[in-house]
Amino acid sequence: MSGEGTTLKDRPERISPIALSAERRPVQRTLFTPPKDLQPESLYHTVERGAAVADRARITLEPHTFVTTNTFFGRFPASYWQRWTRIERITVQAEVQGTGRVHLMASDSTGEQRAVSSARVSADTMRTVELAATLDRFVDGGALWLDFAAAAGRLTVADVRWRVGVPGTGGGTRLVICTFNRADDCLETLLAVSADKECLAALDTIYVVDQGDDPLESRTAFAPVRATLGAKLRYLRQPNLGGAGGFARGLHEASADVPESPGVRPPVLLMDDDIVLEPDTVCRLTGFAALTAKPTIVGGQMLQLLHPERLHVSAEYADLAGLRAGRPTPGAVHDADMTTTSQDARVDAEYNGWWSCLIPQQVVAEIGYPLPVFFQWDDIEYGLRARAAGHPTVTLPGAGVWHADFSWKDWDDWPRYFSVRNALIVGALHGNLPGPGTAVRLFTDLCQALTAMRYGLALTLLMAVEDFLKGPSCLADGGVEALATIRKVRAQYPETVRHPAFGAPEVAIVPPEPTPSRPGLVLVKRMTWHLLGRSRGQAAIKAGDDQWWHASLFESVVATDPSQTGVKVRTRDRALLRHLTFRGLRVLWRLVRHGDRLRRSYRAAMPELTGRENWTRLFDLAD
């Protein structure tokens, strides 16, 4: 239905002249409440006037109430559909009862709103409303959503679905969940999938790759979930090969028995075990990916688990030269409260994190499997490789899951080894790394760690570079030996150990001075202070204030861990500082000297490293 002022009275016929048909595929639902009570309803709907009662699929407005779904999950990302699919028209269908109006609204790239269509409602029993919009004015940005206005009586709206005029292809999607010792979290994700009929219907097979020693099958609640999912569930056990190994196993299994015809290969949706899932995200990702103009990686967005109204980033890229991941794409929404922020401008992603990311099997067949880097940067490298082969990545607004906040994770831990080593590998494969600039960047990181008395972190950085210098052979076992080694070595450094807060030394909290305007000069000064033994004594430092230029002023610090679960005690060791500094200079000189050779060797080894045969070997080796 598309006419302004059309009235729906208590009669059996539908408003719209467009006949409903099974040929019209649903690609998104408008839901009104979150899957759990810990997430805010304002991500789904907002009552701007009056009062309303909502559950997942239904909302009832009291008289003279106004409700909008111009929200994170309420919007339809029209700009992305116009840019990446050939779909020209979208229809939204709802069941309504009572008196009032239903408005189909739109925004543009700057957030300016306009009305597209509306329908008057006057019905004593449930009737169907249809409104339609043409996807022709959204290239730079904009979305669609519904507003509801009750008249003198109540208005109920239910079962809202956005549909496109193409038939379904069948076959569904293959879901891969990689888990390691998060059995309870993984079980909750499976429960969310199994409890939502439309989400479950979108899936052909569910692979759970369990790499832990606290397995999912040890939980008593797993048996009924397994019975509910039936033949759709494939539960696999294997030793820990990291996220790369877990997801590669899922891709390996999912592509083992598919027809040769590219048109019927089911896509694979990768998903972390420790998320809180909005089940409609599965429907949104699969619906969008099935209709892109060419095979496209389609990713979901990450909302923060501890601050569920906040979005991590709407699209991101990797700074290869700076060895930094997760940079917001220019114009992207970053660390924002999505109950007050809208994603209107279209922004293009370079890659998408594998907390929820759909990969067409045509892409896997063409470019291969992930690099065997254990974890970190595997999703980045895959996105870069796919883009180079002509397959973009789209981070789809409104397709979201809740994942642990990155800011609450301690980056001074063994994963930093993989972050640095793998950043160097990806930079060598897709950039001009390593070079003199790389060495300067790493030496700066090293000195900052040393002045902050993070000696275990400094050694972690050096070991990552030393293993990169070994060439592709450092990936021969998928990272199993590297994991064991780095954890063992770091345990020898007392400042890497987290202590309970109640046992911490009683030291006064010292707030930081302003961020230095010339950090390079300050770093040289702090290194000199350490070598000469100058300090300001002891201090306790809050997690948010634990910057190198602040911690380096003291002889020892008691620093709150970012996880807020305890503290770490760091004390100066001038002999260790000198040893690690000179070791770092030697290692980084080798990095510059052998940069070209390393770049060539990693690129030459790429086809073999990412091939099916190599991953089959690693799975057999791990077993």
Side-chain angles (χ1 to χ4, degrees), residues 299-372:
Q301 296 180 316
M302 175 189 142
L303 295 157
Q304 297 179 11
L305 190 61
L306 295 176
H307 304 88
E309 73 285 352
R310 303 197 72 83
L311 178 68
H312 170 53
V313 64
S314 59
E316 56 190 323
Y317 74 98
D319 175 9
L320 296 183
L323 304 175
R324 297 293 189 266
R327 306 293 91 178
T329 298
V333 175
H334 177 233
D335 191 23
D337 182 348
M338 298 313 294
T339 64
T340 59
T341 304
S342 296
Q343 302 179 75
D344 288 303
R346 180 177 59 81
V347 289
D348 294 337
E350 193 173 70
Y351 69 94
N352 199 94
W354 285 353
W355 45 74
S356 60
C357 188
L358 185 146
I359 302 175
Q361 287 213 41
Q362 298 96 309
V363 176
V364 180
E366 184 174 339
I367 73 171
Y369 292 85
L371 271 177

Side-chain angles (χ1 to χ4, degrees), residues 29 54 90 177 197 214 255 301 366 467 507 536 559 568 604:
R29 291 172 287 175
I90 183 73
I177 301 174
K197 293 181 180 179
D214 180 21
S255 60
Q301 296 180 316
E366 184 174 339
D467 283 355
V507 182
R536 296 183 183 176
K568 292 182 177 179

